[in-house]
Amino acid sequence: MTEFDAATAAVQAALDAGARYADARVMHRRYESMTARNGDVEELTQDESIGLGVRALVGASWGFHAVPDLSDAAARDAGRRATRIAMASARVPGPPVDLVPVEAVTASWASGCQIDPLGVPLSDKGDLLVDATRTMAEHGADLAEGLYQIWDTAKWFVSSEGHRIDQRIRECGGGISATSIGDGETQRRSWPSYRGQYGTTGWELVESLDLAAHAAQIAEESRALLTAPQCPAGETDLILGGEQLALQIHESVGHAIELDRILGWEAAFAGTSWLDLAQLGSLRYGSELMNITIDPTIPGALGSFGFDDEGSPAVKRDAVRDGRWVGVLAGRDSAAMASLDYGGSVRADGWARLPMVRMTNVGLEPGPHTLEEIIAATDDGVLMDLNRSWSIDDKRLNFQFGCEVGWEIKKGRRGRMLRNPTYTGIGPLFWRSMDMLSGETVSWGTPNCGKGQPGQIGHTGHPAAPARFRNVRVGVSA
């Protein structure tokens, strides 16, 4: 049995058992990660899994079943079980479920990769982390940490509509962090992000981060933060660095535009959304500088693919255009229920999980300014970057974020470093206050997006660049 044979057998068995639509995914994933601490390798993880997941649609209800066995008997049994689960659910009346039409194709797709990350010797990867963490410790860090992660995933997808798609997606990335401990104070600095940088690419991405070259600086900055002035409290102009703005997009835009949340399908666990479908196309989400795209076609970005897990091709779409909300992240069923004509944003984190609406690459298109121009145009403000903490309500409306580092901006110049910088706001009011945006865009990768019940971890990308927001509340009042 080939992978396509197993998926085909499962789909046919689901149809024979009474499903009106069925699809099946075989996924084979290899994963490797390594962490180092204070000059020593601390942990190496390597694992591999392969299995088959089947969806069956009966009436208005889905059924799903998965098995770690690609034999003909196991595949057919999985298809029948998925249909029986759907039939059991269909006993409870519900609104009809249709699927947005998608052209059935036979296709192959693979992400770009110059250096196979799993082919790089473990000793070389270990030396990279050991050298970087040792340097941080030598430059004052009490806790010096480094990590990398690698995923190599092959997928085979078959549907009852005639899809036959295989994909190979290689993802990797890493980062370092330095923590310094003082008298009643702990501070951390990270490079290039608080969780590292990741993409659908090869080991060349990790090499480009040049972790060792930044180790001394971030260790020294973590110690300097121990005695830096506290971020003042009040309303001021806020400049966010691109890495922090990527998280802002993720939390206050990406999750809010997930159609399953808007429809209330995620209310039991992840929450809902403040957005109302009746306002799609008219709601003012932000300023005219706010142009957010949903784009899984960006080469190397972490949320990129050729086809989603329903067989919909990767297509770039607008989510916000000139400040107006115009698009959502959707699946074929949720889109049909909302009377939309597109899906394309459904994925599962493994063969044993039901595919659901997930972010792809959700990010800001470049603006007309540079960071230097934004600073020069700011008379009084604070520049913050690299996330340290986040909190947002389950409607994705009210938020508070803390950053690793801040800098005072006075009369167009960057001044002293500030510790414990925080800011808070309400999503649409915050985005409407954006009046300057840089064109220095980086597609930041988020490998730890949680959603669903049972929980799934999604890999998402967020193109972002530094931007300025007016009259934002920062700091914490005594």
Side-chain angles (χ1 to χ4, degrees), residues 210-367:
D210 206 357
L211 301 180
H214 293 87
Q217 179 183 346
I218 68 164
E220 291 164 1
E221 288 184 357
S222 74
R223 292 219 69 82
L225 280 170
L226 292 174
T227 55
Q230 184 85 2
C231 177
E235 284 193 1
T236 190
D237 291 343
L238 172 66
I239 302 171
L240 289 184
E243 191 269 357
Q244 175 60 28
L245 192 54
L247 183 74
Q248 181 76 50
I249 294 167
H250 180 99
E251 299 293 349
S252 69
V253 181
H255 279 306
I257 64 172
E258 292 169 335
L259 185 53
D260 54 351
R261 295 178 66 110
I262 295 170
L263 293 173
W265 296 0
E266 274 288 299
F269 185 67
T272 57
S273 172
W274 66 276
L275 293 170
D276 183 344
L277 274 177
Q279 296 179 299
L280 183 64
S282 62
L283 175 73
R284 173 64 64 181
Y285 208 124
S287 73
E288 291 187 355
L289 280 175
M290 187 183 187
N291 293 295
I292 299 278
T293 59
I294 300 165
D295 189 3
T297 70
I298 300 173
L302 190 61
S304 295
F305 48 80
F307 299 84
D308 78 349
D309 283 353
E310 293 188 307
S312 299
V315 175
K316 179 180 179 180
R317 301 186 188 279
D318 286 339
V320 179
R321 177 55 53 185
D322 299 327
R324 286 190 195 283
W325 175 43
V326 296
V328 297
L329 294 152
R332 296 180 64 188
D333 54 356
S334 57
M337 182 164 289
S339 299
L340 302 174
D341 63 357
Y342 61 87
S345 299
V346 166
R347 289 185 291 166
D349 74 353
W351 54 266
R353 289 290 181 263
L354 182 69
M356 65 172 65
V357 175
R358 300 307 302 255
M359 283 180 249
T360 62
N361 299 310
V362 179
L364 271 170
E365 291 191 340

Side-chain angles (χ1 to χ4, degrees), residues 31-46 122 125-134 136 143-150 173-177 194-195 198 203 211:
Y31 172 75
E32 178 180 295
S33 69
M34 182 184 293
T35 59
R37 176 176 293 182
N38 292 354
D40 293 307
V41 171
E42 187 170 68
E43 184 176 8
L44 170 66
T45 300
Q46 294 174 311
L122 282 173
K125 292 181 280 196
D127 287 347
L128 173 67
L129 299 184
V130 165
D131 291 346
T133 57
R134 181 178 293 133
M136 288 187 287
L143 179 61
E145 297 176 297
L147 84 158
Y148 72 78
Q149 296 184 87
I150 299 165
I176 54 175
S177 65
Y194 78 95
R195 64 187 166 261
Y198 297 84
W203 191 251
L211 301 180

Side-chain angles (χ1 to χ4, degrees), residues 2-27:
T2 68
E3 291 85 1
F4 273 130
D5 289 340
T8 300
V11 167
Q12 188 58 54
L15 296 177
D16 293 343
R20 62 185 178 93
Y21 168 85
D23 59 36
R25 294 168 300 110
V26 173
M27 293 182 66

Side-chain angles (χ1 to χ4, degrees), residues 373-425:
E373 290 171 345
I374 296 173
I375 292 173
T378 302
D379 187 60
D380 185 23
V382 178
L383 167 62
M384 301 184 192
D385 204 10
L386 270 72
N387 185 259
R388 186 175 181 180
S389 65
W390 66 93
S391 176
I392 190 164
D393 67 28
D394 63 4
K395 286 183 175 291
R396 299 288 149 169
L397 185 60
N398 300 282
F399 63 82
Q400 180 186 51
F401 293 113
C403 296
E404 287 187 2
V405 63
W407 289 273
E408 190 176 62
I409 306 297
K410 293 291 185 183
K411 297 181 178 179
R413 292 182 176 273
R414 186 189 303 214
R416 57 185 181 169
M417 183 184 292
L418 301 173
R419 64 186 166 96
N420 303 329
T422 64
Y423 67 99
T424 187

Side-chain angles (χ1 to χ4, degrees), residues 187-220:
Q187 294 292 332
R188 184 188 70 201
R189 286 289 283 122
S190 306
W191 175 263
S193 161
Y194 78 95
R195 64 187 166 261
Q197 169 65 322
Y198 297 84
T200 52
T201 183
W203 191 251
E204 61 272 13
L205 170 61
V206 177
E207 291 183 345
S208 73
L209 301 178
D210 206 357
L211 301 180
H214 293 87
Q217 179 183 346
I218 68 164
E220 291 164 1

